[in-house]
Amino acid sequence: MRGIILAGGRGTRLHPVTRATSKQLLPVYDKPVIYYPLSVLMLIGIREILIICTPEAVSGFRSLLGDGRHLGISISYETQEEPRGIAEALVIGERHIDGEPCALVLGDNLFYGPTLGRTLRDAADSLEGCVLFGKEVADPQRFGIAEFDASGNLVSIEEKPAYPRSKHAVTGLYLYDGRASRIAADVRPSPRGELEITDVNQAYVEEGSARFVPLGDDCTWIDVGTEESLFDAGDRVRRLAQEHGVRVGCVEQVALEMGFIDADECSRLGRESGDSPYGRYVVDVARSLNGTYREGESP
């Protein structure tokens, strides 16, 4: 399975802080936003990852992540000149996907929870068509909302409905079979001029090959598209670190737990971070886990 992180857009809802940098390079407590979706793809077991960003942001992401080999993965880059919709990521990433199953995650979405890794890997292992991950929300008018029939089968997805048929929002993480790029290429721009990911998902729904997987109560999903959600995400990550000793989105820890790197390499990466709390955490993870995966420790 291949992975794509869509880290494009201009971040206008976060101006002026995003005038000089990408939203996905802003900090959420102790690490850049991009670490969180990257750790999710790695947690699925994905090692070939494409980051799609604006032309201006490529150098920043390269400086931060390079080609990914230090994490035991391969990272490549493509640009999205203008924000023309989430579905365009599947078109831009066609060569990267190369007809293989893929996972697409939005670069400003955070997911964490003790059962998250197992849920994602189970969904990937049984993928047929597409898998959409959902969470119940209090304000469904702001999201793509799933509708179910009396038997609980997914029958439609409506984008930002005025009269929602459920409170189950589709999150910014999607698993697709090898047809995703072809389906996305046939999507026509919506009235707002974008290639909507809802249209791709609806195509799978209509053929009966879309599955909706609700994330459990112990899994958290945050879209950090606003200043309030960015602050809230940082506060939650800080409390987890200070109260439970867990640093959500630690890509070095996930790489170690997934067997992408060994404990020696993890320790070296921690030392490269200098005498920062994050660096010391990575070194401690290498010492304590010693390359052994422990369920529940991943973000």
Side-chain angles (χ1 to χ4, degrees):
M1 178 174 279
R2 311 284 171 84
I4 297 177
I5 302 174
L6 179 58
R10 302 296 176 183
T12 55
R13 290 184 295 170
L14 288 168
H15 278 181
V17 294
T18 49
R19 287 190 182 276
T21 189
S22 166
K23 170 174 58 177
Q24 290 81 13
L25 292 174
L26 294 176
V28 169
Y29 186 50
D30 58 346
K31 64 189 75 68
V33 172
I34 192 74
Y35 272 44
Y36 297 90
L38 176 59
S39 69
V40 167
L41 294 183
M42 293 168 63
L43 199 56
I44 297 173
I46 296 172
R47 302 181 75 159
E48 295 180 68
I49 296 170
L50 172 68
I51 295 176
I52 299 175
C53 59
T54 64
E56 300 83 5
V58 173
S59 61
F61 286 114
R62 285 190 185 277
S63 295
L64 178 67
L65 298 169
D67 62 8
R69 70 176 64 185
H70 60 291
L71 297 171
I73 62 177
S74 173
I75 299 176
S76 55
Y77 301 87
E78 293 283 355
T79 60
Q80 185 184 42
E81 300 291 333
E82 296 292 336
R84 288 184 287 262
I86 296 171
E88 190 182 40
L90 296 169
V91 179
I92 294 172
E94 182 178 10
R95 285 189 302 172
H96 170 74
I97 296 170
D98 194 27
E100 297 291 323
C102 69
L104 168 63
V105 62
L106 303 188
D108 57 2
N109 275 217
L110 279 66
F111 299 85
Y112 64 87
T115 62
L116 179 63
R118 180 62 54 83
T119 298
L120 298 182
R121 290 190 292 272
D122 286 348
D125 289 343
S126 59
L127 176 65
E128 293 181 5
C130 86
V131 174
L132 309 175
F133 297 95
K135 284 288 287 184
E136 270 199 66
V137 294
D139 47 356
Q141 295 85 355
R142 295 180 50 232
F143 303 95
I145 296 298
E147 178 188 4
F148 307 91
D149 62 19
S151 300
N153 300 309
L154 180 64
V155 296
S156 76
I157 303 166
E158 188 176 3
E159 189 67 27
K160 297 180 174 65
Y163 303 99
R165 294 184 173 91
S166 81
K167 290 188 175 182
H168 293 279
V170 177
T171 69
L173 174 62
Y174 321 89
L175 304 185
Y176 297 109
D177 63 15
R179 299 173 296 150
S181 292
R182 186 169 71 250
I183 292 173
D186 290 335
V187 170
R188 303 274 69 85
S190 67
R192 61 178 185 159
E194 295 193 1
L195 301 181
E196 306 287 355
I197 197 67
T198 296
D199 292 340
V200 174
N201 297 337
Q202 187 63 30
Y204 282 99
V205 171
E206 290 174 359
E207 70 175 28
S209 62
R211 186 158 61 97
F212 186 90
V213 175
L215 297 176
D217 292 339
D218 62 346
C219 291
T220 297
W221 166 53
I222 307 175
D223 177 342
V224 296
T226 67
E227 57 188 30
E228 289 298 324
S229 60
L230 189 66
F231 177 85
D232 179 54
D235 185 55
R236 294 194 191 194
V237 172
R238 178 189 62 83
R239 284 190 283 110
L240 281 170
Q242 294 186 352
E243 297 173 12
H244 302 284
V246 175
R247 290 187 179 255
V248 175
C250 178
V251 292
E252 295 87 355
Q253 179 177 6
V254 177
L256 176 60
E257 292 176 344
M258 296 301 296
F260 298 170
I261 61 175
D262 61 23
D264 288 341
E265 178 66 7
C266 184
S267 182
R268 185 188 69 79
L269 294 175
R271 293 194 301 272
E272 281 188 354
S273 293
D275 191 30
S276 67
Y278 183 87
R280 292 196 298 271
Y281 175 82
V282 173
V283 171
D284 287 344
V285 163
R287 289 172 178 164
S288 62
L289 296 188
N290 196 27
T292 302
Y293 176 74
R294 295 194 303 180
E295 183 66 39
E297 292 292 324
S298 299

